[in-house]
Amino acid sequence: MKRSSMRFSQGRRVAAFVSLLTLSALLVAPSSALAAVSVQKARLSSSGSLTIEGKGAKANATITVASPEVTVTGKANSSGDFKFSRSGYRSSTCKAKVSDGVTSVTVTLSGCTPSSTPPPPPPPTGSVPPTALSLSHSSLDTVGTLAVAGVNFAPNPPTPLDFAVQSSHPNFASVPASVHVDRFSDPGSPVASFYVTYTTAVSAPTSVTISVSAGGVTKTALLTLNPPRQAMITPDVAELGPGFVGADFTANSASTTTMTFGPNTLGPVRFEIIAGRLPNGLRLVDPNAGFTPAKSIHASVAGTPTTVETTTFTIKATDQNGLTASRTYTIRINPALSLAITPEQWAPLTVGSFGNLWIDGSGGVKPYRWAVTAGQLPPGMTLIQDNPDGYLVRVGGTPTTAGTFTWTLRLTDAQGATVSRTMSVTVG
């Protein structure tokens, strides 16, 4: 009887131990089977587009993604997987909390840069509500430019007053966290203002919502930030010129011979030829080498071509911020222009009065040589070439005899080409 009681007692202890293990297993099983939200992809683009992808959520649960500024939602499928995108998202900390209502995880958003400006404070309670918000510009195209925001209130509001300000993309369009107004210059039409500054370049057109809040009322206005125009060298053509042997390139070119590096570049700009060459007789003129302008963003091709040829060169520009660009141009140099003699408008000549008869030469290759080959100049006047390298010649002096005088003038250029013209003048 005693042994039987001991066996019974031991049996009860064994049964109790087994029951305890079974209960423990039942208690542990649900915990180990409980899924937890996990995120495989969390990205926030510079334009405010959020992409979230994960698994382990409660079946068909609503997924919330919360940052210090914004909360958006998506949906998990029957397997607990989720993947969705939302626009207009922002996070000053570049972190977000992802939750299915049961479990959550905090993730770091790739592609995001933390904002040095903390999120704006909540709207002050008891403040005067704004009635409208407007911007001086609907879009900005250049980093560093700004739009003026005007905030309207109902007539004769109590002052001082405060309102909170917020930018949906503070990394790109900065605003003050709040504005304090001591008084309005025109209480009957009260308007407060602040600046919205384009601070960081966007890579694609970005819509920014600017909002002001006070007294439980929020007013918004939209501002578009456009990518800054890419700096480039202009003119945007393949060929400069053409030029002509012996003729000033700048004066005879059908296109501009000046190159400009812009927009939004900071002079002085350094121009250099990094490949190819200019035609013989031409040179790159850097205006920064002189005194004016001191900070030019231009350079020119100038000179007098000496050879019939076609050359190609690549020019590179670098501004003071290190911004660079390059462009390739071709210049075609043609044979010399035909020689020509053209008299200018002559004033009447009078015996005993000094006078000049100016005559232009053009074309060919300088220096020029002039000569009277037939006829007679007015007595007392001679043929004068003041500048051997110039285009002009004159018949100058003091006439001594009245009458009409005719002569033939010949022009010879440096290559031996010639042209002649007969002209006459009356001395009164």
Side-chain angles (χ1 to χ4, degrees), residues 120-298:
T125 57
S127 296
V128 177
T131 58
L133 170 64
S134 60
L135 299 175
S136 61
H137 295 75
S138 60
S139 64
L140 296 175
D141 304 321
T142 305
V143 173
T145 57
L146 50 83
V148 179
V151 186
N152 296 84
F153 296 89
N156 303 307
T159 54
L161 61 81
D162 299 88
F163 57 89
V165 184
Q166 187 172 359
S167 165
S168 63
H169 291 76
N171 292 336
F172 305 112
S174 65
V175 295
S178 61
V179 174
H180 176 79
V181 181
D182 286 319
R183 62 184 182 85
F184 292 102
S185 58
D186 183 4
S189 301
V191 180
S193 63
F194 60 89
Y195 293 126
V196 183
T197 305
Y198 187 174
T199 54
T200 304
V202 296
S203 58
T206 301
S207 181
V208 180
T209 300
I210 306 299
S211 60
V212 294
S213 302
V217 174
T218 297
K219 296 295 181 180
T220 62
L222 289 179
L223 175 68
T224 299
L225 301 181
N226 294 314
R229 290 175 54 195
Q230 183 178 3
M232 61 184 295
I233 299 174
T234 55
D236 184 13
V237 297
E239 183 173 341
L240 301 180
F244 301 88
V245 171
D248 181 85
F249 182 68
T250 301
N252 290 277
S253 173
S255 71
T256 179
T257 60
T258 298
M259 293 159 288
T260 302
F261 186 33
N264 306 321
T265 53
L266 178 63
V269 171
R270 179 168 58 91
F271 289 87
E272 57 184 328
I273 295 176
I274 59 174
R277 67 175 181 87
L278 294 174
N280 294 327
L282 299 186
R283 66 190 185 282
L284 186 65
V285 179
D286 180 3
N288 295 303
F291 295 100
T292 303
K295 295 186 177 181
S296 174
I297 59 172
H298 312 282

Side-chain angles (χ1 to χ4, degrees), residues 109-122:
L109 302 173
S110 65
C112 174
T113 302
S115 172
S116 58
T117 304

